[in-house]
Amino acid sequence: MTLDLTFTARDIANIRFAISPLGEVVTSVRVVKEPGAHPLLRPWAEQVRRRLQGVGWSLLSDLVPVPTIVIAGFTCTPPSTSMPDLGLELATMRGAAGRVRSDLDAVPGPRTKRVQALYDDPERGLERLAEEVEAYWNAAMAPYWARIRALLEGEILHRARLLAEGGAQRMLADLDDAVTWRDGTLSIAHRHVSGARSLRGLGLLLVPCVFASPRVFSVTRPPYQPTVRYPPRGIATLWERRDLEPPEALAAVLGRTRARLLAELDQPASTRDLAQRTGLSEPGANQHLTALRRAGLCTAHRTGRYVLYARTATAEALLERGDRYLDETPTPRSNSR
């Protein structure tokens, strides 16, 4: 089955990109519920399923059944800005009470009791859903967000370069194996949707989405912005173990112990885990982690009885560039004669 999106000159002029934390949450539910169907994302699923025990996310789970045919639009409306945070997207979702019933009517199959309660009282149901999304985010997404966001931003920069080099045709031609561009029409191979759709002069919002993999999701029904969520390049690299030896120049600035702790945060970890790996005492590791957190180099996320630490985007950049990052900084000259 193929969905054909037809472009006018105005639509091509209105192509834009965005990142969606809420979209990542909603599509990731499929992965947690059916990890075997998502081999590239399975390492993440195996880690977070344990952390989600005791977290209340039953309504969110009900709204994303597997196999997934349709996801109700109000759960993750197309983002209105290019880099929204989760709070902004949840505020938009809370304000979508007027669309809940029509969106749920478009979803095939019977409703669970929880979804029916949402249908009967949209405002109260959306508040519960927002609370569940926040709890799910803290347990399953926030510890990984710096790395995920860096990958998504890299994907958008890559598409921007292709657009500059060869226009919309070059940028859209290799978006995904399921997507083809020809003569002003973007064709998407779909499992459940077919036919031609006009973009209504609104253009197309392209949202790279890690947890959409391996599928491409589309939104074409009013009142939403026409949107395509597609898997970005390099998803498999998100879960690879990286070099755990900190760069010498970074160790010279932070101290070897703190630089080593940052390197060990290749995956989110608890104080106990980090202490065991580095030979530190737990109080000692905690002291260094507190200093790194205050410096904006790591974040702390509570998951049940545990607190998991994760590197920030700033720390990722420092480790990625390593010695070169610091060696490029000019040495101040002395004013003495």
Side-chain angles (χ1 to χ4, degrees), residues 13-178:
N14 287 329
I15 294 174
R16 67 183 182 92
F17 283 87
I19 288 172
S20 175
L22 182 56
E24 297 289 352
V25 167
V26 172
T27 53
S28 76
V29 171
R30 304 157 42 251
V31 182
V32 176
K33 295 172 72 172
E34 196 175 29
H38 306 85
L40 291 181
L41 301 168
R42 189 166 185 170
W44 170 85
E46 290 175 348
Q47 292 180 39
V48 303
R49 289 182 81 178
R50 297 189 300 271
R51 297 176 192 161
L52 285 168
Q53 294 176 3
V55 175
W57 57 292
S58 54
L59 176 57
L60 174 61
S61 176
D62 289 351
L63 288 166
V64 190
V66 290
T68 307
I69 299 175
V70 178
I71 299 176
F74 66 84
T75 62
C76 52
T77 59
S80 57
T81 64
S82 60
M83 300 286 178
D85 59 23
L86 182 66
L88 177 60
E89 290 199 283
L90 287 179
T92 300
M93 187 182 75
R94 287 185 174 102
R99 296 199 293 268
V100 166
R101 289 174 180 167
S102 60
D103 284 353
L104 288 176
D105 285 339
V107 177
R111 299 184 189 121
T112 66
K113 291 182 179 179
R114 287 179 286 262
V115 174
Q116 185 60 47
L118 169 62
Y119 188 94
D120 294 337
D121 190 345
E123 290 188 0
R124 183 176 180 181
L126 286 177
E127 188 59 40
R128 172 182 174 176
L129 178 60
E131 291 173 358
E132 289 192 4
V133 168
E134 287 184 312
Y136 181 100
W137 171 270
N138 289 332
M141 302 295 293
Y144 300 88
W145 183 241
R147 183 176 293 188
I148 291 172
R149 177 167 175 156
L151 180 73
L152 297 174
E153 290 177 346
E155 168 67 17
I156 291 175
L157 289 174
H158 170 71
R159 293 293 156 191
R161 285 194 295 269
L162 294 181
L163 182 65
E165 292 170 0
Q169 180 173 351
R170 174 77 185 279
M171 186 267 290
L172 294 169
D174 69 340
L175 201 65
D176 187 83
D177 290 342

Side-chain angles (χ1 to χ4, degrees), residues 220-303:
T220 58
R221 195 166 67 94
Y224 301 110
Q225 162 81 45
T227 302
V228 169
R229 300 180 192 267
Y230 69 96
R233 302 151 42 257
I235 291 175
T237 65
L238 283 171
W239 326 120
E240 289 179 349
R241 294 291 291 177
R242 302 180 187 180
D243 186 3
L244 298 183
E245 194 62 35
E248 288 296 329
L250 185 60
V253 173
L254 296 180
R256 179 160 296 280
T257 299
R258 290 176 184 174
R260 173 69 189 282
L261 283 170
L262 277 186
E264 288 286 345
L265 286 175
D266 183 68
Q267 298 287 349
S270 67
T271 303
R272 176 176 294 180
D273 290 338
L274 292 167
Q276 290 175 345
R277 292 185 213 164
T278 58
L280 296 168
S281 65
E282 287 190 40
N286 186 63
Q287 183 178 6
H288 288 299
L289 289 166
T290 298
L292 291 170
R293 183 164 56 85
R294 289 174 177 169
L297 297 177
C298 74
T299 55
H301 308 273
R302 178 165 291 280
T303 304

